[in-house]
Amino acid sequence: MTDSQIEVRRFSYRYPQLGSQWALRNIEAQINAGEYVLLCGASGSGKSTLVRALTGLIPHGYDGVIEGSIVIDGVDTRSRPLAEWLMTVGVVFQSPQWQLFNSTVTRELAFGLESLGCQRQVMRQRIDAVAAQLGIEHLLERNPQQLSAGEQLLVALGTVLVVGARIIVLDEPFANLDGMHVAQVQAILRTLHQQGVTIIVAEHRLGLVAADATRMIVLHEGQIVLDGRPADVLAHDIRRFHLEPPLPTQIGRVLGLDPLPLTVEALLARVDRRQFMEVYQPSVVTLQRGNGSPLLRTHQLTYAIGQRQLLDSIDLQVHAGESVAIVGANGAGKTTLIKHFNGLYRPQHGRVNVLGRDTRTTPVSELARSVGMVFQHPDDQLFCASVRDEVAIGARVMGVFDPARLRDVLQALQLEPLADRSPFALSAGEKRRLTLAAAMMTDPPILVLDEPTTGLDWPARQALAKYICEQIAVGRTMVIVTHDLDFAGTVASRWLVMAGGRLVADGSPLSILSDPARISAANLLLSDRYRLTLALQSSDSASTTMIRQDEVPYAGSAN
Amino acid sequence: MKTRFIAQAVVLIALGVALAPFTSFPVGIARINPTQHFINVIAAVLLGPWWATGIAGVIAVLRISMGVGTVLAFPGGMIGALLAGLVFRFTRNIYLAALGEIVGTGIIAALVSGLWVAPVFMQKSMALSLLIASFLGSTIVGSAIGLIVLKALERAGVVRLVEQRGSVN
Amino acid sequence: MPALQIDPRAKMVIALIWTVAMTMVESIATLILGLIPIIIIVYWSKQQQAFARWLRLALLMIAGWVVIAFLTLDWRMAVLIGLRILVLAGIFFVFLRTTSPEDLGGALQQMGVPFSITFLLTSSLQYVGVMEHRIRQIIDAQRARGIPLEPGWHTLRFYPALLVPLLVQSLMAAEHLAAAMEVRGFSRSGRSQLVTYHWRSRDTLAVGVTLLAALLIWFQC
Ligand SMILES: Nc1ncnc2c1ncn2[C@@H]1O[C@H](COP(=O)(O)OP(=O)(O)OP(=O)(O)O)[C@@H](O)[C@H]1O
Ligand SMILES: Nc1ncnc2c1ncn2[C@@H]1O[C@H](COP(=O)(O)OP(=O)(O)OP(=O)(O)O)[C@@H](O)[C@H]1O
Ligand SMILES: [Mg+2]
Ligand SMILES: [Mg+2]
């Protein structure tokens, strides 16, 4: 018997519905107390499945076939009932919303302690202590469902800490957080790590965790393909496993730095600007105002629900052939704004004009033909038996169905091989393409996408960016809502920044990002790419260069 | 695991309460609201008679406490759920389950409600048939929607209806 | 919501006694008498607005019954039936309006009702808002591609476009919820309660008064 805290021994697992396909295959890992593990892999690589296995949900909550074993603190996960695990392993799942089921944060934190049968004073003490530790005292009497995504994540973390778990597993904790909460959660995890808690984070945006982690495990198609210190693992070509290496390591590899820098700061400390410029020919991104007429115009657009002002005097114009990104933190009002573009919401004050028509007097079904809209969750619209029907149904109902168009659209989005499958059986990336196809059926002059990168891994994101750029090239007007600035920078040269229901900036990405006050007001999460660009820019203010996503050269794994 | 049933019950209850305002159909001056009966059929098939009855009961409690329901929601929802669940348990047939819901609500619940507020109702067949007719509208629409949706879910491979105990993926 | 300072269990017993009493009586005068405490409680707990809204809804339903009774029986029966439904519905309105489902669940749990049942009462309410939000999103997503989902008969045939995505997501959500409950020790035995309820003498008094009133009514009839 070794003394590692978690021992995964040749563990394989198969979901009952998946036939002979293994979700996890021959997983072999020892994790010691106090390690901080980054568990990464593309979508469908088995991260969440491994999280379930480590927390005992597999085998206790899921049927299916298991081989091998997982031993935690010397006890096999199979021999201890699930309900006994909570003091050993705490877990924060992918969707915080569905793990908070009490009426107040206090009761939420108390739930685990109640399960343990704690005395009331003990509960109060522990709840207060954890609330102070996480800085959520002011939320204790709030309803968890009415908190922001970041606050919900902190509460979910609290429910784990309050019972004193020594192993904490988090499944994509940063998925929906704004800039401030990302930094806050990173800091909390660092502190817990210093206190000796074992931390396992599943995440595919490596840059957020790699610098803090002591170990990085790469999953690919259910198997561990790389395992080691982050800097060592990143020295391999992980693009093969559909993962995007953090930008500083990409550059570090090209420059042949050893050990690889994991953060922008570490990179800049070791490379001077001139050396840097030798490696890159950063292109100058200029603002490309569409030359066409304004297709879409809002005038003093205001919208409130009850006392809450969701949109406050928005004035904007989108010209024909332009590609515009609407960026902003959670709850800034982005979705509320775009729902005005096809008449789903009618302005309470002000006007919205689309292709010369006033949305107050034009029915949604008519606007829907000129404004294609794809919302954040593909699952919100899937209901047909096959992909083909799902793509066609909107056009059929509107009476503009054209079989030739259907063929073209399916082909353009590579959905032909899937056309007869059930839409529910698709992967996240395929579902996204399906909803895009459905919106393209009417060949709308304006295409609006709401958070199109949600749930997509790196290759799927690349494919989406490529498709959007193609559409821009053929002259389609694009409006893309996102809080992912890297993506916004790739697909749009003009940004509209929203914060608290107001439009706080309108201009080229760089002009917006070079104003720190605006960034912090809008609570944006600055990606490595922009932090690097800004750092370079401040050392030479004359140049306005910008590194675009597709321009970082990448050396093969040989060096 | 039993927890999964409880979680599904929680979700169906929330669904039943939240969906009601969105599915209200005008019939003359009155309105019918098939949501409860739709949930009954779904719950009866997916979770069985006892859970289905409990779900209907809790939906009634929540709707009353929110001021959008009255006490007649108890007989009007729970009886159909129980009958649909029992029928499905013994026949494994979703059409018969829906019929169970229609009979349970449209006839038995109408009788029970009538008996409760005025036993004299029972002596007038005319009164009874009017009462039954007024209960039948919602439950027929609701059960029909329930059937269509169950079939769609099955076609999409989301639920399996023929399997033993109606287990859900 | 300002609640009456009475134990939820006492309120439940009172509501039941009152319901039974009001089911038994056959006189219009007594039913009106039974209505008075409801109005008093509504004012006392400052629920006038909610009550007015609820009353509009309840009267619509009661009207149906009254019309049927009037057509097939006589006007006296019609009034009696209308009043009885109003009183019975009113009792449950004030009971559940002054007792949050959470308190009801907590009190029942303390009485020994299995946690898996009381949990339905305490936690379902949290997800009503979440579900409403999802429903709105689905309706918007479908309307944005031309599928009409406004309320009314003419959209009935498109209801699967709302209900199928909704149920698929609900079943997935239930999966997440079940996992979250389980890892937080939901099915452990020996659970304690952060919030407990105490039966005080005023609760006994309130139940006693109600019982006495019910008995009086009983002997009157
Ligand atoms: N509850 C389930 N039932 C059946 N199959 C499942 C279930 N959950 C996951 N799978 C399948 O198991 C495989 C691994 O999925 P998993 O959710 O672990 O991936 P992941 O790495 O977490 O992906 P993502 O980044 O998209 O969350 C996939 O093929 C997926 O379809
Ligand atoms: N129907 C509604 N009722 C009440 N509040 C609402 C409603 N719709 C939106 N809100 C609130 O309005 C704010 C803005 O919502 P919106 O969805 O437009 O934000 P967003 O910028 O799209 O954010 P996200 O990144 O979370 O999607 C949020 O705080 C949200 O809670
Ligand atoms: Mg996952
Ligand atoms: Mg949004």
Side-chain angles (χ1 to χ4, degrees):
Chain A
M1 174 134 282
T2 61
D3 46 37
S4 38
Q5 196 175 24
I6 303 174
E7 286 235 15
V8 187
R9 298 190 192 125
R10 295 192 69 74
F11 186 85
S12 300
Y13 176 75
R14 205 159 78 186
Y15 285 100
Q17 303 91 13
L18 286 188
S20 59
Q21 187 193 338
W22 294 93
L24 291 177
R25 188 92 188 103
N26 283 332
I27 302 287
E28 184 83 50
Q30 280 80 37
I31 296 172
N32 295 319
E35 280 195 274
Y36 185 159
V37 182
L38 164 58
L39 184 65
C40 53
S43 181
S45 60
K47 301 184 296 295
S48 300
T49 310
L50 187 54
V51 166
R52 288 185 191 128
L54 290 174
T55 50
L57 275 167
I58 293 172
H60 294 294
Y62 289 83
D63 304 329
V65 184
I66 292 182
E67 283 172 14
S69 65
I70 295 182
V71 178
I72 296 180
D73 285 342
V75 185
D76 191 312
T77 50
R78 272 173 296 193
S79 60
R80 181 150 57 165
L82 191 51
E84 302 300 319
W85 278 111
L86 81 161
M87 284 171 299
T88 318
V89 187
V91 52
V92 175
F93 290 105
Q94 218 162 340
S95 51
Q97 194 169 49
W98 291 100
Q99 38 190 319
L100 305 176
F101 40 79
N102 290 275
S103 62
T104 64
V105 171
T106 304
R107 285 184 186 234
E108 201 62 67
L109 296 176
F111 191 90
L113 298 169
E114 290 178 333
S115 303
L116 295 173
C118 288
Q119 294 295 311
R120 230 157 358 124
Q121 287 97 324
V122 180
M123 288 199 239
R124 293 273 177 208
Q125 273 168 15
R126 293 239 208 139
I127 291 170
D128 289 342
V130 166
Q133 184 183 357
L134 296 176
I136 52 172
E137 296 105 324
H138 60 293
L139 303 177
L140 282 176
E141 293 315 309
R142 296 270 302 276
N143 182 327
Q145 297 299 344
Q146 280 155 16
L147 301 178
S148 74
E151 292 166 336
Q152 284 184 339
L153 190 89
L154 291 178
V155 174
L157 196 53
T159 64
V160 169
L161 295 178
V162 81
V163 288
R166 300 301 295 163
I167 304 173
I168 297 182
V169 188
L170 302 101
D171 197 354
E172 304 207 15
F174 301 107
N176 270 313
L177 305 199
D178 53 34
M180 181 187 75
H181 281 109
V182 166
Q184 195 174 354
V185 172
Q186 281 174 328
I188 288 169
L189 293 182
R190 273 195 289 270
T191 313
L192 288 172
H193 173 54
Q194 277 155 18
Q195 292 167 355
V197 176
T198 309
I199 300 174
I200 301 173
V201 179
E203 181 65 58
H204 60 243
R205 287 188 292 167
L206 309 182
L208 295 175
V209 192
D212 295 331
T214 57
R215 181 168 170 189
M216 180 165 163
I217 296 178
V218 180
L219 278 175
H220 182 61
E221 292 174 353
Q223 283 175 297
I224 293 186
V225 287
L226 290 170
D227 183 354
R229 287 194 314 123
D232 298 340
V233 168
L234 288 169
H236 293 83
D237 181 10
I238 57 170
R239 295 187 181 206
R240 276 186 296 154
F241 309 120
H242 305 316
L243 287 168
E244 184 186 21
L247 187 67
T249 45
Q250 290 184 39
I251 298 171
R253 280 190 56 174
V254 175
L255 294 175
L257 300 183
D258 185 44
L260 284 173
L262 297 176
T263 60
V264 173
E265 289 73 24
L267 177 69
L268 289 173
R270 288 165 52 189
V271 182
D272 69 45
R273 192 183 141 72
R274 209 144 41 81
Q275 196 182 356
F276 201 88
M277 294 309 255
E278 278 163 18
V279 188
Y280 295 100
Q281 269 82 51
S283 67
V284 179
V285 177
T286 50
L287 188 61
Q288 297 163 340
R289 290 261 176 198
N291 46 4
S293 53
L295 283 190
L296 197 146
R297 186 170 17 187
T298 73
H299 175 71
Q300 294 285 309
L301 167 60
T302 300
Y303 191 81
I305 290 182
Q307 296 296 318
R308 272 194 74 186
Q309 195 81 10
L310 301 188
L311 294 180
D312 192 359
S313 321
I314 305 268
D315 280 301
L316 64 85
Q317 292 194 354
V318 178
H319 302 267
E322 206 178 10
S323 171
V324 178
I326 301 179
V327 298
N330 287 123
K334 306 183 295 292
T335 304
T336 312
L337 175 63
I338 59 159
K339 281 186 178 174
H340 281 90
F341 294 171
N342 64 353
L344 284 174
Y345 289 179
R346 306 264 151 108
Q348 287 164 342
H349 296 286
R351 271 195 320 276
V352 179
N353 259 289
V354 180
L355 295 164
R357 282 174 295 183
D358 191 322
T359 60
R360 282 174 303 184
T361 50
T362 319
V364 180
S365 52
E366 208 176 306
L367 287 169
R369 283 179 222 173
S370 352
V371 184
M373 202 169 275
V374 178
F375 286 104
Q376 186 169 3
H377 301 288
D379 288 334
D380 281 356
Q381 46 173 269
L382 306 183
F383 75 106
C384 294
S386 75
V387 169
R388 189 189 309 278
D389 291 346
E390 193 68 62
V391 173
I393 181 103
R396 285 215 172 97
V397 173
M398 289 189 278
V400 292
F401 178 66
D402 171 9
R405 176 82 193 152
L406 176 62
R407 259 196 315 278
D408 292 348
V409 166
L410 287 178
Q411 193 175 6
L413 285 152
Q414 290 121 45
L415 287 169
E416 266 176 334
L418 306 173
D420 296 312
R421 292 256 297 273
S422 160
F424 298 95
L426 303 182
S427 73
E430 291 162 349
K431 281 183 184 172
R432 176 68 57 192
R433 297 211 302 271
L434 164 54
T435 54
L436 265 172
M440 293 300 289
M441 271 303 286
T442 56
D443 197 6
I446 306 176
L447 188 59
V448 184
L449 310 179
D450 192 1
E451 304 277 5
T453 55
T454 305
L456 297 193
D457 57 14
W458 183 58
R461 262 179 52 157
Q462 299 286 92
L464 179 67
K466 183 160 160 277
Y467 182 77
I468 293 176
C469 292
E470 279 165 20
Q471 292 303 318
I472 299 168
V474 301
R476 204 176 300 279
T477 309
M478 304 287 294
V479 177
I480 295 137
V481 171
T482 183
H483 61 244
D484 178 339
L485 298 190
D486 269 350
F487 191 76
T490 314
V491 296
S493 59
R494 176 179 164 212
W495 287 7
L496 301 171
V497 184
M498 289 195 70
R502 287 183 313 134
L503 201 59
V504 294
D506 177 350
S508 75
L510 205 62
S511 70
I512 288 167
L513 291 174
S514 41
D515 183 354
R518 272 184 186 163
I519 300 170
S520 63
N523 206 352
L524 296 172
L525 174 63
L526 264 194
S527 61
D528 284 347
R529 186 157 287 112
Y530 292 112
R531 298 202 1 244
L532 197 56
T533 311
L534 291 176
L536 287 177
Q537 197 195 13
S538 62
S539 68
D540 172 15
S541 55
S543 137
T544 49
T545 54
M546 165 88 82
I547 299 160
R548 302 223 336 189
Q549 187 157 2
D550 42 321
E551 279 156 14
V552 181
Y554 202 79
S557 52
N559 61 338
Chain B
M1 66 185 166
K2 186 172 147 219
T3 314
R4 187 171 278 140
F5 280 74
I6 298 168
Q8 287 179 354
V10 167
V11 169
L12 285 178
I13 291 166
L15 195 58
V17 177
L19 198 53
F22 295 91
T23 58
S24 156
F25 298 93
V27 181
I29 57 151
R31 296 190 146 265
I32 63 170
N33 200 320
T35 295
Q36 174 69 65
H37 312 290
F38 161 72
I39 296 286
N40 280 355
V41 172
I42 304 276
V45 169
L46 297 185
L47 300 177
W50 311 117
W51 285 110
T53 315
I55 288 170
V58 178
I59 290 179
V61 167
L62 296 187
R63 282 179 56 81
I64 296 172
S65 81
M66 291 164 70
V68 292
T70 62
V71 73
L72 289 182
F74 286 108
M78 293 169 76
I79 297 173
L82 180 63
L83 201 61
L86 288 175
V87 169
F88 186 75
R89 170 155 296 178
F90 290 113
T91 63
R92 301 269 127 209
N93 181 320
I94 59 169
Y95 299 99
L96 290 180
L99 193 67
E101 153 63 35
I102 292 173
V103 171
T105 301
I107 296 172
I108 303 179
L111 288 179
V112 168
S113 310
L115 260 181
W116 185 18
V117 297
V120 279
F121 254 159
M122 303 303 286
Q123 293 144 22
K124 290 271 181 181
S125 59
M126 176 69 181
L128 259 183
S129 37
L130 279 175
L131 202 59
I132 287 174
S134 72
F135 271 67
L136 270 178
S138 306
T139 178
I140 288 177
V141 176
S143 306
I145 298 178
L147 282 180
I148 294 170
V149 169
L150 275 175
K151 281 314 246 186
L153 290 178
E154 191 186 25
R155 257 205 317 271
V158 180
V159 300
R160 254 175 266 166
L161 300 176
V162 281
E163 211 186 52
Q164 188 198 22
R165 300 215 104 216
S167 90
V168 181
N169 315 340
Chain C
M1 178 185 319
L4 297 184
Q5 295 298 308
I6 292 184
D7 189 282
R9 290 162 291 183
K11 283 193 220 167
M12 196 162 63
V13 175
I14 292 172
L16 288 179
I17 297 175
W18 199 352
T19 305
V20 172
M22 290 296 122
T23 308
M24 307 294 239
V25 295
E26 290 293 339
S27 96
I28 292 177
T30 332
L31 281 173
I32 292 176
L33 213 63
L35 206 54
I36 291 171
I38 293 176
I39 293 165
I40 294 175
I41 297 173
V42 164
Y43 272 86
W44 194 0
S45 56
K46 302 198 176 59
Q47 294 288 320
Q48 296 94 319
Q49 265 191 7
F51 185 69
R53 245 183 295 128
W54 172 83
L55 198 61
R56 244 187 301 156
L57 184 134
L59 285 180
L60 210 71
M61 183 208 62
I62 292 170
W65 284 79
V66 171
V67 169
I68 295 177
F70 183 74
L71 290 179
T72 57
L73 301 161
D74 54 284
W75 68 267
R76 206 194 86 88
M77 272 319 288
V79 173
L80 186 90
I81 285 172
L83 265 178
R84 176 170 292 146
I85 302 178
L86 183 63
V87 175
L88 293 177
I91 294 169
F92 275 80
F93 174 80
V94 293
F95 164 46
L96 290 173
R97 195 70 203 175
T98 58
T99 317
S100 72
E102 184 161 51
D103 284 332
L104 187 62
L108 287 173
Q109 187 187 343
Q110 210 173 321
M111 279 166 68
V113 176
F115 184 53
S116 44
I117 293 171
T118 61
F119 183 80
L120 295 184
L121 274 170
T122 54
S123 62
S124 303
L125 195 58
Q126 313 314 321
Y127 287 118
V128 173
V130 178
M131 282 296 175
E132 263 165 20
H133 185 70
R134 280 266 60 89
I135 293 169
R136 289 221 171 81
Q137 299 299 313
I138 294 174
I139 291 180
D140 284 349
Q142 302 292 28
R143 287 181 63 202
R145 59 173 181 156
I147 300 174
L149 278 173
E150 296 87 358
W153 285 109
H154 61 291
T155 58
L156 184 61
R157 78 189 171 93
F158 295 114
Y159 264 75
L162 165 62
L163 297 175
V164 172
L166 194 54
L167 271 168
V168 170
Q169 291 188 34
S170 302
L171 293 176
M172 266 178 344
E175 205 65 14
H176 297 306
L177 177 59
M181 286 157 62
E182 203 52 52
V183 297
R184 283 164 67 188
F186 178 84
S187 42
R188 270 179 80 105
S189 51
R191 146 176 300 279
S192 60
Q193 275 178 279
L194 178 70
V195 181
T196 48
Y197 302 87
H198 305 283
W199 186 281
R200 286 168 298 193
S201 47
R202 74 162 78 143
D203 298 314
T204 317
L205 188 71
V207 170
V209 169
T210 315
L211 200 60
L212 204 68
L215 288 176
L216 274 177
I217 291 172
W218 176 257
F219 287 120
Q220 283 283 290
C221 301

